[in-house]
Amino acid sequence: MSKKGAFGALSPQELKKAKIAYLCVLPALLVLVLVRAYPIIVVFLKSFTNWDGLFANDFVGLDNYKLLFGSGMFWNLFRNNMYLLLSVPLQVIIGLIVAVLLYEHVPGWKAFRAIYYVPQIISLVILGYLFKTMFGLEGPLNQVLRSAGLENLAVDWLLNRETALPVMVFCVTWYSIGWQTIVILGGMSSIDTSVFEAARLDGANFWQRTFKIVLPMIVSIITYCVVMAVIWTFTSLFPLIYSMTDGGPGFETMTLDYFIYNKAFQRGNQLGYACSASVVLLIIVLIITAIEMRISDAAEEKWG
Amino acid sequence: MQEKSLGYRIGRVLIFLVLFILAVSFVYPILFMFINSLKTLKEYYYSPFTLPDLSNLQWSNFGNMISQFKILGLLKNSFIVSFFTVVGLIGLGTLASYAFAKIKFPGSRGLYLAFLVTLFVPAQVTMIPMYINFAKIGLVNNWLGVVIANWAMFLPETIMLMTANFKGIPDEIIEAATIDGCGFFGRLWNVVIPMGWPAISLTIIFFFINSWNDLFTPMIMLKSMDKRTVMVALNSLVGQFTGNPPYQFAGLVLAALPALLVYIFLQKSIVNGMSMGAIK
């Protein structure tokens, strides 16, 4: 049905209501279109130029993409992204285990739940600087190692690629467990308790209850958690990388999203090049989202 | 009442212990930061793991943050940005969500989905054109620029949360308010806001904390020292006091404190809201 047809079918009173509704939505719509939607079009178009924000703004075809992929830069960044994704299974599995333990409702479980969420309340910049000190050459961790006689293990953890990425995976996992726990626990709480109680009365033990009842019922929430964590790892680690390593040494801990900042704002002003990286990042995130929708639809069908 | 078996009770104790150890591991790094912010440099390098000398707590570290690093001004900047971010979110979000939840109009579903889709667009992707455009109209190095950018980032989740909540408000109550002579804004003020308060208060708390903690947007948008938010200025803090971790920790504690206080007083509604799985 055409727009005009849709409006034609409305009575005068409905039309008045619709006008009010549009006026209500308009301010938010304007903000989103101007600040979020329109820039996407600009980014896409500028990714084919040598734009520097000042003078250069010439069409260069696929040069930016050729540089990004041909120089091996993309693969380096992507490998780092993939490495950091190691945190996703860790945080989801630990979060799931903790949620299962909390679900037993031992005394104080609500307080524990609140405490696990505390890292999420503190800015990742603050935590990043804290971790940087903790893992620094003269930091507390190395003090412990030295006093334990493990002098040769006491390196500057964030200045070596072999150690910097694992340390970051550790930090991201530590930071994210609380979110995972609370969301998974929330999903578990929506399980019909009568099913659970019936199983308990039938003598199902802890393991049977967990694997036969709880897990199948929370497949969709787990999918949601995994996908949110993957997207989050691709898009939201900026403050942590900024404060811990600044993407260094070299480009060894730099991720795709950090690279956009690096090229556009930090060093030089290769805005066109940064736009091509933005397009690639956006495509990756959209692919992940599409996969999520597929999986959760399939899970809905299988387990309802 | 059935007597619980010994195995059951041992199991419960073990679960409690595991949960307790986990809790310690989540609190310890934060406690570490606080404990060491009260030490002298010498004490810190002697051992960062002991408690500070209780008769000689270095509250002056915090005093130095205020006098030397002017952290109160930075906290004020953060507060201004977070406050107006939240005010705008409530205004824009309540209006749009009311329309989505309570008014039938052509294209409502499509518009709603279009709003949600922007949720998946990373901030970095839209930052470059936004920055260039904002620079042209004087919104760079201007708190309003950060506030508008924050609205755009947080509106999809706000509208998702509020729309779901407003749908639960019975139509009869809204109609009754109309019959009682309430105009459009009267209905919003007298019915929608009080009855939608769970979602609205969660929006306030959650996005206040989010904008307080954000680094990327304010860092790109705010250039001058007197405009910066505290998170942006931490870089200078760490640079200025390299080699003096207790000073750094004092600054980090002060920067973290406002969001933590909000959480401590309002954790119940935050945790309950998170349990609904609505926001990340």
Side-chain angles (χ1 to χ4, degrees):
Chain A
M1 203 194 295
S2 75
K3 263 258 148 99
K4 212 170 179 184
F7 283 103
L10 298 177
S11 70
Q13 208 200 348
E14 282 173 322
L15 196 64
K16 195 180 158 227
K17 267 190 160 181
K19 271 185 194 157
I20 294 174
Y22 289 127
L23 284 177
C24 286
V25 176
L26 189 67
L29 186 67
L30 272 180
V31 170
L32 284 174
V33 167
L34 291 178
V35 182
R36 298 284 281 158
Y38 167 69
I40 295 176
I41 300 168
V42 176
V43 160
F44 182 73
L45 294 176
K46 295 288 185 187
S47 73
F48 302 105
T49 68
N50 61 357
W51 192 32
D52 65 358
L54 294 169
F55 313 109
N57 194 9
D58 306 315
F59 182 76
V60 294
L62 290 172
D63 280 7
N64 291 325
Y65 293 95
K66 281 180 193 153
L67 182 62
L68 185 62
F69 287 94
S71 64
M73 181 49 83
F74 172 77
W75 300 108
N76 173 61
L77 300 170
F78 193 66
R79 182 195 54 192
N80 293 338
N81 271 123
M82 285 294 138
Y83 199 105
L84 291 169
L85 282 183
L86 283 179
S87 145
V88 175
L90 289 175
Q91 51 175 278
V92 173
I93 291 170
I94 298 174
L96 178 62
I97 294 171
V98 178
V100 167
L101 293 179
L102 283 176
Y103 197 64
E104 288 295 303
H105 292 190
V106 295
W109 71 276
K110 280 189 174 168
F112 289 133
R113 185 179 62 166
I115 289 171
Y116 300 158
Y117 196 68
V118 166
Q120 294 268 326
I121 302 299
I122 300 174
S123 174
L124 269 177
V125 206
I126 298 176
L127 294 174
Y129 284 126
L130 178 63
F131 288 131
K132 193 181 178 183
T133 309
M134 292 263 196
F135 290 96
L137 193 57
E138 302 302 326
L141 176 69
N142 283 348
Q143 284 195 27
V144 173
L145 289 173
R146 286 195 190 104
S147 60
L150 298 165
E151 186 74 36
N152 51 349
L153 283 183
V155 294
D156 199 327
W157 293 82
L158 296 175
L159 285 185
N160 299 296
R161 178 166 188 275
E162 295 73 30
T163 50
L165 281 172
V167 165
M168 293 181 86
V169 168
F170 169 81
C171 297
V172 171
T173 308
W174 177 82
Y175 174 77
S176 304
I177 287 173
W179 186 85
Q180 297 287 352
T181 301
I182 285 196
V183 174
I184 295 173
L185 189 64
M188 289 167 64
S189 307
S190 63
I191 296 173
D192 187 358
T193 44
S194 60
V195 181
F196 201 74
E197 282 308 314
R200 205 200 283 260
L201 289 178
D202 286 345
N205 65 27
F206 174 79
W207 303 109
Q208 287 167 328
R209 292 201 303 272
T210 301
F211 284 98
K212 294 262 164 69
I213 300 175
V214 178
L215 279 183
M217 286 180 137
I218 55 171
V219 169
S220 64
I221 197 88
I222 300 277
T223 320
Y224 171 79
C225 284
V226 169
V227 172
M228 289 310 275
V230 171
I231 292 178
W232 186 85
T233 310
F234 265 103
T235 60
S236 305
L237 284 181
F238 177 83
L240 198 69
I241 298 175
Y242 176 78
S243 51
M244 284 176 81
T245 64
D246 197 18
F251 289 90
E252 295 291 296
T253 61
M254 194 173 289
T255 55
L256 192 52
D257 60 324
Y258 204 86
F259 184 71
I260 298 169
Y261 158 75
N262 180 272
K263 285 297 164 201
F265 298 104
Q266 192 176 24
R267 302 191 220 298
N269 45 2
Q270 296 170 270
L271 297 187
Y273 191 26
C275 284
S276 70
S278 306
V279 171
V280 174
L281 176 65
L282 184 61
I283 291 173
I284 291 175
V285 171
L286 291 181
I287 291 174
I288 300 166
T289 313
I291 295 174
E292 195 272 344
M293 287 174 174
R294 276 281 168 80
I295 297 179
S296 63
D297 282 353
E300 284 288 299
E301 259 173 41
K302 191 164 180 194
W303 287 288
Chain B
M1 190 95 183
Q2 194 187 337
E3 187 70 14
K4 304 280 187 199
S5 73
L6 186 64
Y8 173 83
R9 269 190 260 160
I10 292 176
R12 305 270 289 181
V13 170
L14 282 179
I15 289 174
F16 181 87
L17 281 178
V18 171
L19 292 176
F20 183 79
I21 292 166
L22 265 171
V24 171
S25 82
F26 283 111
V27 172
Y28 182 73
I30 294 145
L31 217 55
F32 176 91
M33 188 162 69
F34 183 64
I35 288 171
N36 285 299
S37 71
L38 289 169
K39 287 182 182 173
T40 62
L41 188 58
K42 219 171 138 191
E43 273 180 285
Y44 172 77
Y45 277 121
Y46 180 69
S47 168
F49 300 106
T50 53
L51 284 176
D53 180 359
L54 290 177
S55 60
N56 186 26
L57 290 179
Q58 298 296 308
W59 293 106
S60 62
N61 291 348
F62 288 90
N64 280 331
M65 280 302 120
I66 294 168
S67 61
Q68 285 183 33
F69 194 63
K70 310 278 183 244
I71 201 165
L72 292 184
L74 298 166
L75 295 173
K76 184 202 77 189
N77 295 349
S78 282
F79 184 81
I80 291 173
V81 168
S82 308
F83 178 81
F84 286 105
T85 296
V86 167
V87 169
L89 279 181
I90 298 303
L92 297 168
T94 308
L95 276 175
S97 308
Y98 177 70
F100 284 130
K102 285 294 161 201
I103 307 178
K104 271 192 192 144
F105 62 98
S108 89
R109 203 180 142 70
L111 266 175
Y112 183 71
L113 285 179
F115 275 38
L116 290 202
V117 164
T118 63
L119 187 61
F120 295 105
V121 180
Q124 294 88 344
V125 171
T126 48
M127 181 53 89
I128 299 169
M130 192 186 86
Y131 176 81
I132 301 285
N133 289 339
F134 276 20
K136 282 181 196 153
I137 51 176
L139 286 177
V140 164
N141 214 10
N142 183 336
W143 289 317
L144 186 61
V146 184
V147 167
I148 293 175
N150 280 351
W151 290 346
M153 286 306 297
F154 301 148
L155 263 175
E157 281 170 296
T158 302
I159 290 175
M160 203 162 83
L161 187 68
M162 286 188 178
T163 303
N165 186 282
F166 291 176
K167 275 188 178 153
I169 301 174
D171 290 330
E172 295 79 25
I173 299 185
I174 296 175
E175 275 159 31
T178 317
I179 294 166
D180 286 350
C182 275
F184 175 76
F185 287 102
R187 288 195 295 269
L188 277 188
W189 185 252
N190 293 314
V191 180
V192 176
I193 290 180
M195 295 201 68
W197 190 246
I200 294 173
S201 62
L202 188 63
T203 303
I204 296 175
I205 300 163
F206 194 80
F207 291 111
F208 182 87
I209 294 176
N210 262 12
S211 24
W212 184 274
N213 286 342
D214 190 28
L215 174 70
F216 186 62
T217 309
M219 191 178 110
I220 303 291
M221 306 286 293
L222 302 173
K223 298 291 171 195
S224 69
M225 197 63 193
D226 62 321
K227 288 278 171 61
R228 289 181 183 187
T229 62
V230 70
M231 295 309 157
V232 180
L234 288 181
N235 184 33
S236 318
L237 169 90
V238 172
Q240 193 176 334
F241 299 107
T242 314
N244 197 334
Y247 273 30
Q248 295 180 349
F249 289 140
L252 296 181
V253 166
L254 285 176
L257 207 57
L260 270 179
L261 286 178
V262 171
Y263 181 66
I264 289 168
F265 287 113
L266 302 168
Q267 63 87 9
K268 211 172 162 185
S269 55
I270 296 179
V271 170
N272 286 342
M274 290 303 306
S275 301
M276 297 188 290
I279 9 191
K280 165 117 188 169

